[in-house]
Amino acid sequence: DLGRCKANDPSFTCLDWSDVRLDAGDAKLLATALLDNTRLLTLTVRYGVYMTNRAAEQLESALMRTRVVRATVLGRSYSHNGRRVVRDFNPNSNAVRLRSHCVANAAWRANANDHALDEIDWSNMSLEDDDICMLAPSLRGNTELQRICLSNNRGISDRAVANLASAVETCACLRVEIDGCHHVSRAAATALRRVCVSNTCNRVKAGDSRLAEIDWSNTEADDDDVAMLATALDGSSNVNSIILAHNRSISDAGVNALQSMLQHCNVVVVALDVTSVGEDLKTEIRRMCVNNAARRIAANDRGLVELDWRVMRRESPPNTQALNRCA
């Protein structure tokens, strides 16, 4: 790991040492390896009981010179002969400074349309509106970022979400998660979700080959969203899976529109677990997915390299008789 950090390995974007209790020597080695690294995106480290303040400060200083967009530094207070040896990182001022650095890095990478930045996970980072407003302008025109997770950041309000929604309209982002942001109103959350739905539908219509799976699970998607997607799917050959699970607002009304399009596209998985869709309609949707899978397998479709029905595990097992015939 240290060697790849030093070499600025472009494929080494995540360093997770959460199960390693770093001592002072480890931290100094890591700090040296991180100097001027521009490839790493996420880093998680945990301080052990033999970490010193000096070594911790050296590591934090090195992090400030990277392009990391999420740095999680864990530790616990530990005293030896009355001297505090290990600091609890989160509440101190350096945590705020490091978070601001990560936000600035994400904005820089998004503005540069960095292909390595396809996801930003900022859940549980104590973010505030100003952080999101700093990121938002850099998203305009971005074609690489697909998902932004802002879950459980109580400092985010409608002001940040409105700025973000305006920016997401001009980029290719498909999903923004804001669950647990209790100061965001339902109206603001719905407006943001509609933007992501519109982005998804536009990319489906354009035949985006990267869009093999549409994951709307736990997004509070409703029948209007599903109806929009159904219209976009007409004739689509790239979308394989549609995950709509855990959205209670999705009912037969929305899925009926989807059903009418399934025979005109290549979708082989539709997950409807924990929705308000009736069992009869779920059964019919599953049957159509099996038929699509059988047709594509019989044609040796290069676009179908995986068939994963585990997302329907809580529902009745699909009737695989047609699939068995062509297999």
Side-chain angles (χ1 to χ4, degrees):
D1 289 347
L2 294 175
R4 296 177 73 182
C5 282
K6 282 183 179 180
N8 214 11
D9 186 340
S11 65
F12 192 58
T13 60
C14 177
L15 176 62
D16 185 355
W17 281 1
S18 56
D19 59 344
V20 178
R21 303 297 193 268
L22 295 184
D23 61 22
D26 300 328
K28 290 177 181 178
L29 287 172
L30 179 56
T32 301
L34 286 174
L35 288 176
D36 302 318
N37 180 288
T38 59
R39 303 290 187 173
L40 206 61
L41 285 170
T42 63
L43 180 143
T44 305
V45 296
R46 183 181 296 276
Y47 293 160
V49 295
Y50 297 108
M51 174 65 68
T52 63
N53 286 343
R54 182 183 179 89
E57 289 165 1
Q58 186 174 339
L59 176 56
E60 293 153 20
S61 177
L63 279 171
M64 300 296 287
R65 297 176 59 178
T66 67
R67 288 293 182 184
V68 169
V69 301
R70 181 183 177 107
T72 305
V73 184
L74 308 170
R76 65 185 182 85
S77 297
Y78 175 75
S79 296
H80 179 68
N81 293 334
R83 182 170 63 90
R84 193 178 188 188
V85 178
V86 177
R87 297 174 301 158
D88 186 356
F89 185 83
N90 290 321
N92 66 33
S93 59
N94 283 357
V96 176
R97 190 164 60 98
L98 185 56
R99 186 189 73 215
S100 298
H101 179 70
C102 289
V103 171
N105 282 347
W108 183 89
R109 284 178 177 263
N111 189 62
N113 211 20
D114 185 347
H115 69 87
L117 188 68
D118 61 354
E119 176 181 276
I120 296 176
D121 182 359
W122 280 350
S123 57
N124 297 287
M125 274 187 60
S126 302
L127 294 172
E128 300 175 352
D129 282 350
D130 289 344
D131 298 320
I132 306 306
C133 292
M134 181 178 179
L135 174 69
S138 66
L139 297 178
R140 299 186 181 278
N142 184 286
T143 59
E144 300 295 338
L145 190 62
Q146 308 296 303
R147 172 179 173 262
I148 303 172
C149 180
L150 304 174
S151 301
N152 302 315
N153 286 288
R154 294 175 178 268
I156 295 177
S157 71
D158 284 5
R159 179 170 74 91
V161 170
N163 273 270
L164 190 58
S166 177
V168 169
E169 280 183 327
T170 67
C171 72
C173 186
L174 300 174
R175 178 172 178 139
V176 181
E177 300 166 22
I178 54 173
D179 50 297
C181 300
H182 299 302
H183 296 293
V184 176
S185 68
R186 179 174 291 274
T190 299
L192 178 58
R193 188 185 76 244
R194 295 287 192 220
V195 171
C196 293
V197 168
S198 178
N199 281 359
T200 302
C201 293
N202 289 337
R203 290 179 60 181
V204 170
K205 289 178 183 177
D208 190 335
S209 59
R210 296 184 300 173
L211 200 59
E213 179 180 272
I214 296 172
D215 184 0
W216 284 354
S217 58
N218 292 288
T219 59
E220 298 190 6
D222 58 22
D223 288 337
D224 290 339
D225 299 330
V226 178
M228 285 181 62
L229 177 60
T231 302
L233 281 170
D234 190 11
S236 170
S237 60
N238 295 312
V239 179
N240 292 328
S241 304
I242 302 174
I243 314 301
L244 303 175
H246 297 271
N247 290 296
R248 293 285 188 181
S249 295
I250 295 178
S251 67
D252 289 12
V255 177
N256 277 328
L258 183 62
Q259 178 190 8
S260 65
M261 289 299 172
L262 280 181
Q263 59 186 328
H264 303 297
C265 64
N266 281 340
V267 173
V268 295
V269 174
V270 177
L272 295 169
D273 185 25
V274 195
T275 62
S276 299
V277 179
E279 286 301 320
D280 289 344
L281 184 54
K282 286 182 180 180
T283 300
E284 180 61 20
I285 293 291
R286 290 196 299 273
R287 184 189 65 79
M288 297 181 76
C289 287
V290 170
N291 288 340
N292 280 353
R295 171 177 54 80
R296 294 181 64 183
I297 291 172
N300 206 20
D301 188 338
R302 291 184 177 182
L304 187 63
V305 296
E306 179 181 62
L307 185 57
D308 186 351
W309 279 335
R310 288 175 297 176
V311 292
M312 296 189 281
R313 60 189 176 276
R314 291 189 182 180
E315 303 172 8
S316 304
N319 182 352
T320 57
Q321 183 176 2
L323 187 62
N324 289 335
R325 285 198 299 270
C326 67

